[in-house]
Amino acid sequence: MHFNIAVLPGDGIGPEISRQGVDVMTAVCEKFGHTVKYEYALCGADAIDKVGDPFPERTYEICRDADAVLFSAVGHPKFDNDPNAKVRPEQGLLAMRKRLGLFANIRPVETFKCLLHKSPLREELVKGADFVCIRELTGGMYFGEKLEGTERAYDTCLYTRPEVERILRVAYEYARRRRRHLTVVDKANVLASSRLWRKVAQEMAPEYPDVTTDFMYVDNAAMRMIQEPTYFDVMVTENTFGDILTDEGSVISGSMGLLPSASTGESTPVFEPIHGSWPQAAGKNIANPLAQILSVAMLFEYFNLMEEGRLIREAVNASLDADVRTPEIQVEGGAHYGTKEVGAWIVDYIRRK
């Protein structure tokens, strides 16, 4: 198979982890007889500095014409700390999702046996936790009508039936491939938009009799994720709730640097780590590249190249078992490995298998 991959390194640690993801993808393609071409594009604060737009038209064209996008991170403190900034790096991320029609964000939450002690939760709670959060990505308050004034402001949470139906179908299909349990998260006791979500889900559930469907208010879901993360198999929710819950879920594994994600929909899929740009660490060779590398595994799996994805996951697990880890997850007294060294070790493992 031939891949045309758009690479968006972005800001902060983005360029460093991006290189590791590209190197791993190249190694896997060489091993399995695929060919790959990369085209790099600007986004985020880097794009604002260079062309004044966090998601330039040329970047959109490169993404649109690619088979997949390997994205890293956007964000910079000079924008975070300026409430009057008219253009922000994160607007580029929202623009990419909207223009590519990426309505489904898939975030697996998985624990690693050798890292259970790194979780902020007790080991007996997180052991065996393995679930997928599916977040609607192009509707709700982030894209609804807004008013921002000095005395009055609002953000409109708007959803239509077709938007809810399409994300629920993605969630049901994921549940069918896993343990056949879907939890629909809403706030139907308060919000009209959530009552639409629940109504549509109740109507669709009989179409999937092999899947157990249950419903949970978002505040209860947030609590349950901490008390009993092993309860969940597939969770689906709207944009704002999903943003919060997926970040909560991300720390269960012990490091945000371990978890990948995919955004899919009407056009080119995007694969990215769930963490941010961590600009304070930029250039220090300490950022964990595993989430970016596991995003490459998800990319291959999206194209039903399961062996390729399996080999990447095997290599990542092998690196953890061999204590080839960046500082935030290294065992006490373990050797120092930086971003480049971890990536190189995994590439070497793939080539030797």
Side-chain angles (χ1 to χ4, degrees):
M1 183 172 179
H2 177 73
F3 291 98
N4 290 306
I5 304 297
V7 182
L8 277 59
D11 308 322
I13 61 172
E16 296 170 72
I17 61 170
S18 177
R19 282 191 288 273
Q20 310 315 312
V22 166
D23 287 350
V24 166
M25 182 160 189
T26 300
V28 171
C29 285
E30 289 172 353
K31 187 168 192 68
F32 286 87
H34 306 303
T35 56
V36 58
K37 178 184 177 183
Y38 303 105
E39 190 160 4
Y40 288 77
L42 299 173
C43 67
D46 181 47
I48 294 173
D49 289 343
K50 291 176 178 173
V51 299
D53 185 342
F55 189 64
E57 186 66 21
R58 180 56 185 152
T59 297
Y60 164 67
E61 292 170 355
I62 290 171
C63 292
R64 178 198 62 197
D65 296 339
D67 296 311
V69 177
L70 190 60
F71 174 79
S72 296
V74 294
H76 195 281
K78 68 182 178 183
F79 297 96
D80 298 339
N81 299 328
D82 181 5
N84 297 314
K86 300 300 182 185
V87 182
R88 297 178 181 277
E90 292 76 13
Q91 290 172 341
L93 189 55
L94 294 177
M96 177 169 65
R97 292 167 179 170
K98 195 70 172 178
R99 297 197 69 184
L100 293 177
L102 303 174
F103 63 84
N105 179 238
I106 297 100
R107 287 194 181 186
V109 176
E110 180 183 2
T111 54
F112 297 83
K113 191 177 295 185
C114 64
L115 290 173
L116 292 178
H117 65 288
K118 287 287 187 179
S119 175
L121 301 182
R122 296 198 309 272
E123 186 170 325
E124 62 267 26
L125 292 179
V126 297
K127 187 177 182 180
D130 175 13
F131 60 96
V132 175
C133 297
I134 297 182
R135 166 190 171 193
E136 200 289 323
L137 210 54
T138 58
M141 286 195 294
Y142 289 7
F143 292 95
E145 182 182 345
K146 301 177 185 298
L147 172 70
E148 185 173 350
T150 56
E151 302 296 329
R152 184 168 174 261
Y154 61 76
D155 300 275
T156 306
C157 185
L158 173 66
Y159 273 104
T160 64
R161 174 178 285 270
E163 287 176 318
V164 178
E165 286 179 346
R166 68 183 182 180
I167 191 69
L168 284 171
R169 293 203 185 280
V170 171
Y172 271 114
E173 291 304 320
Y174 265 85
R176 276 183 162 171
R177 296 197 294 269
R178 289 175 52 87
R179 300 191 300 275
R180 299 177 184 270
H181 174 202
L182 177 64
T183 302
V184 181
V185 177
D186 60 33
K187 193 62 177 170
N189 58 335
V190 176
L191 300 177
S193 56
S194 279
R195 286 192 285 276
L196 175 65
W197 272 73
R198 186 166 293 207
K199 177 179 174 61
V200 174
Q202 288 171 336
E203 292 172 359
M204 289 177 61
E207 299 179 36
Y208 299 89
D210 52 330
V211 176
T212 299
T213 305
D214 59 24
F215 299 87
M216 196 175 292
Y217 295 147
V218 62
D219 42 354
N220 187 25
M223 181 175 65
R224 194 75 176 266
M225 283 173 65
I226 298 302
Q227 292 179 322
E228 190 186 3
T230 55
Y231 171 82
F232 297 101
D233 177 24
V234 177
M235 170 194 298
V236 62
T237 192
E238 62 90 51
N239 203 344
T240 305
F241 297 160
D243 192 3
I244 297 165
L245 290 176
T246 51
D247 275 5
E248 182 186 9
S250 71
V251 301
I252 289 173
S253 68
S255 171
M256 291 185 75
L258 294 169
L259 299 179
S261 75
S263 297
T264 64
E266 301 167 359
S267 184
T268 314
V270 174
F271 302 88
E272 62 182 291
I274 62 112
H275 58 69
S277 60
W278 197 15
Q280 299 84 354
K284 296 182 179 178
N285 194 39
I286 60 173
N288 192 339
L290 295 187
Q292 181 82 84
I293 289 169
L294 288 169
S295 297
V296 177
M298 291 187 76
L299 188 159
F300 281 114
E301 290 159 358
Y302 175 87
F303 291 99
N304 291 317
L305 298 171
M306 308 310 288
E307 278 300 301
E308 287 85 336
R310 183 202 60 77
L311 179 56
I312 293 173
R313 295 182 187 279
E314 178 187 317
V316 166
N317 279 296
S319 72
L320 293 171
D321 290 340
D323 294 334
V324 179
R325 313 178 189 184
T326 45
E328 93 284 4
I329 56 170
Q330 184 55 291
V331 297
E332 187 175 351
H336 176 81
Y337 291 92
T339 311
K340 297 174 186 176
E341 290 76 21
V342 171
W345 194 96
I346 289 172
V347 166
D348 183 62
Y349 181 97
I350 289 168
R351 287 176 173 159
R352 287 187 286 105
K353 290 300 285 186

Short mmCIF file of all heavy atoms in Angstrom, two decimals, residues 160-208:
data_model
loop_
_atom_site.label_atom_id
_atom_site.label_comp_id
_atom_site.label_asym_id
_atom_site.label_seq_id
_atom_site.Cartn_x
_atom_site.Cartn_y
_atom_site.Cartn_z
N THR A 160 -28.16 18.63 16.27
CA THR A 160 -29.26 18.17 15.43
C THR A 160 -29.32 16.66 15.50
O THR A 160 -28.34 15.98 15.84
CB THR A 160 -29.06 18.59 13.97
OG1 THR A 160 -27.88 17.95 13.44
CG2 THR A 160 -28.89 20.11 13.86
N ARG A 161 -30.45 16.10 15.16
CA ARG A 161 -30.62 14.65 15.17
C ARG A 161 -29.56 13.94 14.29
O ARG A 161 -28.95 12.96 14.74
CB ARG A 161 -32.04 14.28 14.73
CG ARG A 161 -32.27 12.78 14.58
CD ARG A 161 -33.70 12.47 14.20
NE ARG A 161 -34.58 12.64 15.34
CZ ARG A 161 -34.87 11.67 16.21
NH1 ARG A 161 -34.34 10.47 16.05
NH2 ARG A 161 -35.69 11.89 17.21
N PRO A 162 -29.32 14.40 13.06
CA PRO A 162 -28.31 13.70 12.25
C PRO A 162 -26.92 13.70 12.89
O PRO A 162 -26.19 12.71 12.79
CB PRO A 162 -28.31 14.48 10.93
CG PRO A 162 -29.67 15.07 10.85
CD PRO A 162 -30.03 15.42 12.25
N GLU A 163 -26.55 14.79 13.56
CA GLU A 163 -25.25 14.85 14.23
C GLU A 163 -25.16 13.80 15.35
O GLU A 163 -24.14 13.13 15.52
CB GLU A 163 -25.01 16.24 14.81
CG GLU A 163 -24.72 17.31 13.79
CD GLU A 163 -24.58 18.68 14.41
OE1 GLU A 163 -25.38 19.03 15.30
OE2 GLU A 163 -23.66 19.42 14.00
N VAL A 164 -26.25 13.67 16.09
CA VAL A 164 -26.26 12.70 17.20
C VAL A 164 -26.27 11.28 16.66
O VAL A 164 -25.55 10.40 17.15
CB VAL A 164 -27.47 12.95 18.12
CG1 VAL A 164 -27.51 11.92 19.24
CG2 VAL A 164 -27.42 14.37 18.70
N GLU A 165 -27.06 11.04 15.64
CA GLU A 165 -27.15 9.69 15.08
C GLU A 165 -25.81 9.20 14.56
O GLU A 165 -25.41 8.06 14.79
CB GLU A 165 -28.19 9.66 13.96
CG GLU A 165 -29.63 9.72 14.44
CD GLU A 165 -30.62 9.72 13.30
OE1 GLU A 165 -30.19 9.95 12.13
OE2 GLU A 165 -31.82 9.50 13.55
N ARG A 166 -25.08 10.07 13.85
CA ARG A 166 -23.84 9.59 13.23
C ARG A 166 -22.77 9.27 14.26
O ARG A 166 -22.01 8.31 14.10
CB ARG A 166 -23.33 10.60 12.18
CG ARG A 166 -22.84 11.92 12.73
CD ARG A 166 -22.43 12.86 11.61
NE ARG A 166 -21.91 14.12 12.16
CZ ARG A 166 -21.49 15.12 11.41
NH1 ARG A 166 -21.53 15.03 10.09
NH2 ARG A 166 -21.01 16.22 11.97
N ILE A 167 -22.69 10.04 15.35
CA ILE A 167 -21.68 9.73 16.36
C ILE A 167 -22.09 8.49 17.15
O ILE A 167 -21.24 7.67 17.53
CB ILE A 167 -21.43 10.95 17.28
CG1 ILE A 167 -20.20 10.71 18.16
CG2 ILE A 167 -22.62 11.25 18.15
CD1 ILE A 167 -18.89 10.69 17.42
N LEU A 168 -23.39 8.30 17.38
CA LEU A 168 -23.84 7.10 18.07
C LEU A 168 -23.55 5.85 17.24
O LEU A 168 -23.20 4.81 17.80
CB LEU A 168 -25.33 7.20 18.39
CG LEU A 168 -25.69 8.13 19.56
CD1 LEU A 168 -27.21 8.32 19.62
CD2 LEU A 168 -25.18 7.57 20.87
N ARG A 169 -23.66 5.95 15.93
CA ARG A 169 -23.37 4.77 15.10
C ARG A 169 -21.88 4.41 15.19
O ARG A 169 -21.52 3.23 15.23
CB ARG A 169 -23.76 5.03 13.65
CG ARG A 169 -25.26 5.16 13.46
CD ARG A 169 -25.73 4.87 12.07
NE ARG A 169 -27.16 5.12 11.96
CZ ARG A 169 -28.10 4.28 12.36
NH1 ARG A 169 -27.76 3.12 12.91
NH2 ARG A 169 -29.39 4.58 12.24
N VAL A 170 -21.02 5.42 15.22
CA VAL A 170 -19.59 5.14 15.41
C VAL A 170 -19.39 4.42 16.74
O VAL A 170 -18.65 3.43 16.83
CB VAL A 170 -18.78 6.46 15.39
CG1 VAL A 170 -17.34 6.20 15.81
CG2 VAL A 170 -18.82 7.09 14.00
N ALA A 171 -20.04 4.91 17.79
CA ALA A 171 -19.88 4.32 19.12
C ALA A 171 -20.40 2.88 19.17
O ALA A 171 -19.75 2.00 19.75
CB ALA A 171 -20.60 5.17 20.15
N TYR A 172 -21.55 2.65 18.57
CA TYR A 172 -22.10 1.29 18.56
C TYR A 172 -21.19 0.32 17.80
O TYR A 172 -20.99 -0.83 18.22
CB TYR A 172 -23.50 1.28 17.96
CG TYR A 172 -24.59 1.51 18.98
CD1 TYR A 172 -25.38 2.66 18.92
CD2 TYR A 172 -24.84 0.60 19.99
CE1 TYR A 172 -26.39 2.89 19.86
CE2 TYR A 172 -25.85 0.81 20.93
CZ TYR A 172 -26.61 1.95 20.86
OH TYR A 172 -27.59 2.17 21.80
N GLU A 173 -20.60 0.77 16.70
CA GLU A 173 -19.71 -0.11 15.94
C GLU A 173 -18.45 -0.44 16.74
O GLU A 173 -17.95 -1.57 16.70
CB GLU A 173 -19.36 0.52 14.59
CG GLU A 173 -20.53 0.59 13.62
CD GLU A 173 -21.17 -0.77 13.36
OE1 GLU A 173 -20.42 -1.77 13.24
OE2 GLU A 173 -22.41 -0.84 13.30
N TYR A 174 -17.94 0.54 17.47
CA TYR A 174 -16.79 0.26 18.34
C TYR A 174 -17.17 -0.73 19.43
O TYR A 174 -16.41 -1.66 19.75
CB TYR A 174 -16.24 1.55 18.96
CG TYR A 174 -15.09 2.14 18.19
CD1 TYR A 174 -15.31 2.98 17.11
CD2 TYR A 174 -13.77 1.82 18.51
CE1 TYR A 174 -14.25 3.51 16.37
CE2 TYR A 174 -12.71 2.34 17.79
CZ TYR A 174 -12.96 3.17 16.72
OH TYR A 174 -11.92 3.69 15.99
N ALA A 175 -18.35 -0.55 20.02
CA ALA A 175 -18.80 -1.46 21.07
C ALA A 175 -18.93 -2.88 20.54
O ALA A 175 -18.59 -3.85 21.24
CB ALA A 175 -20.13 -0.97 21.65
N ARG A 176 -19.40 -3.03 19.32
CA ARG A 176 -19.55 -4.35 18.73
C ARG A 176 -18.19 -5.05 18.56
O ARG A 176 -18.11 -6.27 18.61
CB ARG A 176 -20.24 -4.25 17.37
CG ARG A 176 -21.73 -4.21 17.46
CD ARG A 176 -22.38 -4.18 16.09
NE ARG A 176 -23.78 -4.57 16.19
CZ ARG A 176 -24.65 -4.48 15.20
NH1 ARG A 176 -24.27 -3.98 14.02
NH2 ARG A 176 -25.90 -4.87 15.36
N ARG A 177 -17.14 -4.26 18.34
CA ARG A 177 -15.81 -4.85 18.14
C ARG A 177 -15.10 -5.09 19.47
O ARG A 177 -14.03 -5.69 19.48
CB ARG A 177 -14.96 -3.93 17.26
CG ARG A 177 -15.49 -3.76 15.86
CD ARG A 177 -14.42 -3.20 14.93
NE ARG A 177 -14.03 -1.85 15.27
CZ ARG A 177 -14.61 -0.76 14.77
NH1 ARG A 177 -15.65 -0.86 13.95
NH2 ARG A 177 -14.17 0.45 15.11
N ARG A 178 -15.71 -4.62 20.56
CA ARG A 178 -15.07 -4.76 21.86
C ARG A 178 -15.92 -5.66 22.77
O ARG A 178 -16.24 -6.78 22.37
CB ARG A 178 -14.84 -3.37 22.47
CG ARG A 178 -13.73 -2.58 21.73
CD ARG A 178 -13.60 -1.17 22.25
NE ARG A 178 -13.45 -1.14 23.70
CZ ARG A 178 -12.28 -1.25 24.34
NH1 ARG A 178 -11.16 -1.39 23.67
NH2 ARG A 178 -12.24 -1.21 25.66
N ARG A 179 -16.34 -5.17 23.92
CA ARG A 179 -17.06 -6.01 24.89
C ARG A 179 -18.57 -5.78 24.87
O ARG A 179 -19.28 -6.20 25.78
CB ARG A 179 -16.49 -5.77 26.30
CG ARG A 179 -15.00 -6.10 26.39
CD ARG A 179 -14.50 -6.12 27.83
NE ARG A 179 -14.66 -4.86 28.53
CZ ARG A 179 -13.80 -3.85 28.47
NH1 ARG A 179 -12.71 -3.94 27.70
NH2 ARG A 179 -14.02 -2.73 29.15
N ARG A 180 -19.04 -5.06 23.85
CA ARG A 180 -20.47 -4.90 23.58
C ARG A 180 -21.22 -4.21 24.72
O ARG A 180 -22.32 -4.60 25.11
CB ARG A 180 -21.12 -6.26 23.27
CG ARG A 180 -20.52 -6.92 22.04
CD ARG A 180 -21.10 -8.29 21.76
NE ARG A 180 -20.42 -8.92 20.64
CZ ARG A 180 -20.79 -8.81 19.36
NH1 ARG A 180 -21.84 -8.06 19.05
NH2 ARG A 180 -20.12 -9.42 18.41
N HIS A 181 -20.61 -3.15 25.21
CA HIS A 181 -21.23 -2.35 26.28
C HIS A 181 -21.02 -0.88 25.95
O HIS A 181 -19.89 -0.41 25.87
CB HIS A 181 -20.60 -2.69 27.64
CG HIS A 181 -21.09 -1.83 28.76
ND1 HIS A 181 -20.37 -1.64 29.93
CD2 HIS A 181 -22.23 -1.08 28.91
CE1 HIS A 181 -21.04 -0.83 30.73
NE2 HIS A 181 -22.16 -0.47 30.14
N LEU A 182 -22.11 -0.14 25.76
CA LEU A 182 -22.03 1.28 25.43
C LEU A 182 -22.69 2.10 26.52
O LEU A 182 -23.84 1.86 26.90
CB LEU A 182 -22.72 1.56 24.09
CG LEU A 182 -22.75 3.04 23.67
CD1 LEU A 182 -21.34 3.57 23.42
CD2 LEU A 182 -23.62 3.24 22.43
N THR A 183 -21.96 3.11 27.01
CA THR A 183 -22.50 4.05 27.98
C THR A 183 -22.66 5.41 27.31
O THR A 183 -21.68 5.98 26.83
CB THR A 183 -21.57 4.18 29.20
OG1 THR A 183 -21.39 2.90 29.80
CG2 THR A 183 -22.16 5.15 30.22
N VAL A 184 -23.88 5.90 27.26
CA VAL A 184 -24.18 7.22 26.69
C VAL A 184 -24.17 8.22 27.85
O VAL A 184 -24.95 8.10 28.80
CB VAL A 184 -25.54 7.23 25.97
CG1 VAL A 184 -25.81 8.61 25.37
CG2 VAL A 184 -25.58 6.15 24.90
N VAL A 185 -23.27 9.20 27.76
CA VAL A 185 -23.10 10.18 28.84
C VAL A 185 -23.77 11.50 28.45
O VAL A 185 -23.50 12.04 27.38
CB VAL A 185 -21.61 10.39 29.15
CG1 VAL A 185 -21.43 11.47 30.21
CG2 VAL A 185 -20.97 9.08 29.59
N ASP A 186 -24.63 12.01 29.33
CA ASP A 186 -25.34 13.25 29.04
C ASP A 186 -25.67 13.98 30.34
O ASP A 186 -25.19 13.62 31.41
CB ASP A 186 -26.62 12.97 28.22
CG ASP A 186 -27.60 12.05 28.95
OD1 ASP A 186 -27.68 12.12 30.20
OD2 ASP A 186 -28.32 11.28 28.28
N LYS A 187 -26.49 15.01 30.24
CA LYS A 187 -27.02 15.72 31.41
C LYS A 187 -28.50 15.98 31.13
O LYS A 187 -28.99 17.11 31.16
CB LYS A 187 -26.24 17.02 31.63
CG LYS A 187 -26.52 17.68 32.99
CD LYS A 187 -26.11 16.84 34.18
CE LYS A 187 -26.34 17.61 35.48
NZ LYS A 187 -26.17 16.75 36.66
N ALA A 188 -29.22 14.87 30.85
CA ALA A 188 -30.61 14.96 30.38
C ALA A 188 -31.57 15.47 31.44
O ALA A 188 -32.70 15.84 31.11
CB ALA A 188 -31.06 13.59 29.86
N ASN A 189 -31.16 15.47 32.70
CA ASN A 189 -32.03 16.00 33.73
C ASN A 189 -32.04 17.54 33.76
O ASN A 189 -32.88 18.14 34.43
CB ASN A 189 -31.63 15.47 35.11
CG ASN A 189 -30.18 15.80 35.46
OD1 ASN A 189 -29.34 16.00 34.59
ND2 ASN A 189 -29.89 15.83 36.75
N VAL A 190 -31.13 18.17 33.00
CA VAL A 190 -31.03 19.62 33.01
C VAL A 190 -31.07 20.22 31.60
O VAL A 190 -31.72 21.23 31.37
CB VAL A 190 -29.73 20.07 33.73
CG1 VAL A 190 -29.57 21.59 33.65
CG2 VAL A 190 -29.72 19.60 35.18
N LEU A 191 -30.36 19.60 30.65
CA LEU A 191 -30.12 20.23 29.35
C LEU A 191 -31.01 19.65 28.26
O LEU A 191 -31.11 18.43 28.09
CB LEU A 191 -28.66 20.04 28.96
CG LEU A 191 -27.61 20.65 29.90
CD1 LEU A 191 -26.21 20.32 29.42
CD2 LEU A 191 -27.80 22.17 30.02
N ALA A 192 -31.62 20.54 27.48
CA ALA A 192 -32.47 20.12 26.36
C ALA A 192 -31.67 19.36 25.31
O ALA A 192 -32.14 18.38 24.74
CB ALA A 192 -33.15 21.34 25.74
N SER A 193 -30.44 19.82 25.05
CA SER A 193 -29.62 19.14 24.05
C SER A 193 -29.31 17.71 24.49
O SER A 193 -29.29 16.78 23.66
CB SER A 193 -28.31 19.91 23.82
OG SER A 193 -27.61 20.09 25.03
N SER A 194 -29.11 17.51 25.78
CA SER A 194 -28.86 16.16 26.29
C SER A 194 -30.11 15.28 26.19
O SER A 194 -30.00 14.08 25.95
CB SER A 194 -28.41 16.22 27.76
OG SER A 194 -27.04 16.53 27.86
N ARG A 195 -31.27 15.88 26.35
CA ARG A 195 -32.49 15.08 26.21
C ARG A 195 -32.67 14.60 24.77
O ARG A 195 -33.17 13.49 24.54
CB ARG A 195 -33.71 15.88 26.69
CG ARG A 195 -33.76 16.00 28.22
CD ARG A 195 -35.09 16.54 28.72
NE ARG A 195 -35.23 17.97 28.50
CZ ARG A 195 -34.76 18.90 29.32
NH1 ARG A 195 -34.10 18.55 30.42
NH2 ARG A 195 -34.94 20.19 29.07
N LEU A 196 -32.24 15.42 23.80
CA LEU A 196 -32.25 14.95 22.42
C LEU A 196 -31.29 13.78 22.26
O LEU A 196 -31.63 12.76 21.63
CB LEU A 196 -31.86 16.08 21.47
CG LEU A 196 -31.72 15.67 19.99
CD1 LEU A 196 -33.06 15.22 19.42
CD2 LEU A 196 -31.15 16.81 19.15
N TRP A 197 -30.08 13.89 22.82
CA TRP A 197 -29.12 12.79 22.76
C TRP A 197 -29.73 11.51 23.31
O TRP A 197 -29.63 10.44 22.70
CB TRP A 197 -27.86 13.14 23.56
CG TRP A 197 -26.81 13.87 22.80
CD1 TRP A 197 -26.84 15.16 22.39
CD2 TRP A 197 -25.55 13.34 22.36
NE1 TRP A 197 -25.68 15.48 21.72
CE2 TRP A 197 -24.88 14.38 21.69
CE3 TRP A 197 -24.94 12.10 22.47
CZ2 TRP A 197 -23.61 14.21 21.13
CZ3 TRP A 197 -23.67 11.92 21.91
CH2 TRP A 197 -23.03 12.97 21.25
N ARG A 198 -30.36 11.61 24.48
CA ARG A 198 -30.89 10.41 25.11
C ARG A 198 -32.05 9.83 24.31
O ARG A 198 -32.14 8.60 24.14
CB ARG A 198 -31.33 10.70 26.55
CG ARG A 198 -31.76 9.46 27.29
CD ARG A 198 -31.88 9.65 28.79
NE ARG A 198 -30.59 9.88 29.43
CZ ARG A 198 -30.34 9.57 30.69
NH1 ARG A 198 -31.27 8.98 31.45
NH2 ARG A 198 -29.16 9.82 31.23
N LYS A 199 -32.90 10.69 23.79
CA LYS A 199 -34.04 10.22 22.99
C LYS A 199 -33.56 9.47 21.75
O LYS A 199 -34.04 8.37 21.44
CB LYS A 199 -34.91 11.41 22.58
CG LYS A 199 -36.09 11.07 21.68
CD LYS A 199 -36.89 12.32 21.35
CE LYS A 199 -37.99 12.03 20.33
NZ LYS A 199 -38.96 11.03 20.83
N VAL A 200 -32.58 10.05 21.03
CA VAL A 200 -32.06 9.40 19.83
C VAL A 200 -31.39 8.08 20.17
O VAL A 200 -31.58 7.06 19.49
CB VAL A 200 -31.09 10.34 19.09
CG1 VAL A 200 -30.43 9.62 17.92
CG2 VAL A 200 -31.82 11.58 18.59
N ALA A 201 -30.62 8.05 21.25
CA ALA A 201 -29.94 6.82 21.66
C ALA A 201 -30.95 5.74 22.03
O ALA A 201 -30.76 4.55 21.69
CB ALA A 201 -29.00 7.09 22.82
N GLN A 202 -32.01 6.10 22.71
CA GLN A 202 -33.04 5.12 23.09
C GLN A 202 -33.73 4.55 21.85
O GLN A 202 -34.07 3.37 21.81
CB GLN A 202 -34.06 5.77 24.02
CG GLN A 202 -33.52 6.02 25.42
CD GLN A 202 -34.46 6.85 26.28
OE1 GLN A 202 -35.29 7.61 25.76
NE2 GLN A 202 -34.34 6.73 27.59
N GLU A 203 -33.91 5.39 20.83
CA GLU A 203 -34.53 4.93 19.59
C GLU A 203 -33.60 4.01 18.80
O GLU A 203 -34.04 3.07 18.13
CB GLU A 203 -34.92 6.13 18.73
CG GLU A 203 -36.06 6.96 19.31
CD GLU A 203 -36.29 8.24 18.53
OE1 GLU A 203 -35.54 8.49 17.55
OE2 GLU A 203 -37.22 9.00 18.89
N MET A 204 -32.29 4.27 18.88
CA MET A 204 -31.32 3.48 18.11
C MET A 204 -30.93 2.18 18.78
O MET A 204 -30.52 1.22 18.11
CB MET A 204 -30.06 4.32 17.84
CG MET A 204 -30.27 5.45 16.86
SD MET A 204 -28.78 6.46 16.64
CE MET A 204 -27.62 5.23 15.99
N ALA A 205 -31.03 2.11 20.09
CA ALA A 205 -30.55 0.94 20.82
C ALA A 205 -31.12 -0.38 20.29
O ALA A 205 -30.37 -1.37 20.19
CB ALA A 205 -30.86 1.11 22.31
N PRO A 206 -32.41 -0.47 19.94
CA PRO A 206 -32.93 -1.74 19.41
C PRO A 206 -32.26 -2.20 18.12
O PRO A 206 -32.32 -3.40 17.77
CB PRO A 206 -34.42 -1.44 19.19
CG PRO A 206 -34.74 -0.34 20.15
CD PRO A 206 -33.50 0.51 20.16
N GLU A 207 -31.63 -1.28 17.38
CA GLU A 207 -30.92 -1.67 16.17
C GLU A 207 -29.64 -2.45 16.50
O GLU A 207 -29.05 -3.08 15.64
CB GLU A 207 -30.54 -0.43 15.35
CG GLU A 207 -31.71 0.40 14.86
CD GLU A 207 -31.23 1.62 14.09
OE1 GLU A 207 -30.22 1.50 13.36
OE2 GLU A 207 -31.86 2.69 14.23
N TYR A 208 -29.21 -2.36 17.77
CA TYR A 208 -27.99 -3.04 18.20
C TYR A 208 -28.30 -3.92 19.41
O TYR A 208 -27.83 -3.68 20.52
CB TYR A 208 -26.92 -1.99 18.55
CG TYR A 208 -26.55 -1.09 17.39
CD1 TYR A 208 -27.25 0.09 17.14
CD2 TYR A 208 -25.51 -1.44 16.53
CE1 TYR A 208 -26.92 0.90 16.07
CE2 TYR A 208 -25.17 -0.62 15.45
CZ TYR A 208 -25.89 0.55 15.23
OH TYR A 208 -25.55 1.35 14.17
#
